[in-house]
Amino acid sequence: MEQELISKKELLELTGISYGQLYRWKRKKLIPEEWFIRKSTFTGQETFFPREKILARIEKIKELKDERSLDELAAMFAPDPATVVMTKEEIVKRHIVSDVVLQLLNDELSDRNDVSFVQLLSLYLVDRLLLSGEISMEEGKTIWKMFESHYPKLQGKSCELIVLRKMGVATCFLAEGAVNLYIEEGAKLAVRLHVPACIEELKLKLSEG
């Protein structure tokens, strides 16, 4: 399902910020470049944003900008994934994922206490899909293992997590870039997740801890 967009004009009116502030925050990397979406309209080219994400981000910036510098805010919103390592105890304490997925973490990583960003991201994706009812626990385990095996090859690139289901049997894979999917008759597209958007969500969740 396509995410709801908001135009730049509506965004500025709704949030009360100026054009200059918006682009200054973009330059300082408080707002990701990929959130500035250029689209053709009947008046020409216009800029749109993912509605929920940009409104939540601007609200957070306005709330914190008097307490922290823009550089501090940029670091908070965009931690370097390569440096993120959390212990199982921290994940539990900060409620990064639900108890069900924490059990999966304990089952699959019983011999390790430190969890990397990629491992955490895979757990976060599975947790999100389980909570929405889009996948079963067994499918979640399959997705978790596939993601942990293959995502490192795509790290830093735009990719999508795809889950197809036919006759109750699911197949999952990662697709690099934006791809057109042509699916055989009888198969259903169960999940299509844009991984960079999920990374932004997870980063924000980590920064709020």
Side-chain angles (χ1 to χ4, degrees):
M1 188 162 58
E2 193 173 329
Q3 60 188 336
E4 189 184 349
L5 300 178
I6 184 172
S7 70
K8 180 168 64 184
K9 182 174 183 292
E10 188 185 352
L11 176 70
L12 298 180
E13 288 174 355
L14 207 56
T15 59
I17 65 169
S18 68
Y19 177 94
Q21 275 178 304
L22 177 66
Y23 281 87
R24 186 176 181 216
W25 292 346
K26 178 190 178 187
R27 284 195 307 275
K28 298 294 282 185
K29 302 193 184 304
L30 272 68
I31 300 172
E33 178 83 35
E34 59 267 25
W35 289 8
F36 288 70
I37 302 163
R38 299 283 289 168
K39 288 174 92 71
S40 294
T41 68
F42 66 91
T43 57
Q45 285 279 319
E46 287 188 36
T47 302
F48 292 83
F49 304 85
R51 187 183 185 92
E52 287 185 21
K53 290 179 190 171
I54 191 74
L55 289 175
R57 178 62 59 89
I58 287 176
E59 188 61 35
K60 198 75 178 170
I61 294 170
K62 287 166 73 177
E63 182 187 320
L64 297 173
K65 67 183 177 66
D66 293 333
E67 301 169 20
R68 307 188 189 190
S69 71
L70 294 186
D71 287 336
E72 285 174 329
L73 286 176
M76 186 188 91
F77 288 129
D80 179 3
T83 66
V84 174
V85 177
M86 295 184 74
T87 64
K88 291 179 188 175
E89 290 75 19
E90 283 180 292
I91 294 169
V92 172
K93 186 178 175 183
R94 294 172 61 178
H95 306 291
I96 305 295
V97 293
S98 67
D99 292 343
V100 175
V101 173
L102 284 173
Q103 188 56 53
L104 170 65
L105 173 62
N106 286 324
D107 292 345
E108 301 293 338
L109 294 175
S110 57
D111 60 333
R112 287 181 277 176
N113 190 49
D114 288 342
V115 180
S116 70
F117 185 83
V118 170
Q119 290 167 337
L120 191 57
L121 176 61
S122 62
L123 289 167
Y124 178 74
L125 293 174
V126 169
D127 192 51
R128 177 175 161 163
L129 295 173
L130 282 170
L131 291 175
S132 67
E134 293 170 270
I135 62 169
S136 68
M137 191 64 196
E138 281 308 308
E139 290 168 345
K141 289 178 182 178
T142 302
I143 292 167
W144 186 82
K145 288 175 181 173
M146 180 280 297
F147 193 92
E148 199 180 33
S149 296
H150 298 295
Y151 180 69
K153 303 165 200 166
L154 295 170
Q155 203 162 354
K157 299 177 182 177
S158 180
C159 63
E160 292 182 317
L161 170 64
I162 310 286
V163 179
L164 301 177
R165 193 176 288 118
K166 185 175 183 181
M167 298 177 68
V169 179
T171 301
C172 60
F173 58 93
L174 287 168
E176 184 178 347
V179 294
N180 293 319
L181 295 178
Y182 303 94
I183 303 166
E184 65 172 309
E185 191 176 346
K188 180 188 174 189
L189 177 61
V191 172
R192 185 168 193 169
L193 267 186
H194 186 55
V195 175
C198 295
I199 290 172
E200 284 299 324
E201 289 172 17
L202 180 56
K203 283 179 177 179
L204 192 53
K205 203 174 179 78
L206 292 175
S207 74
E208 289 169 346

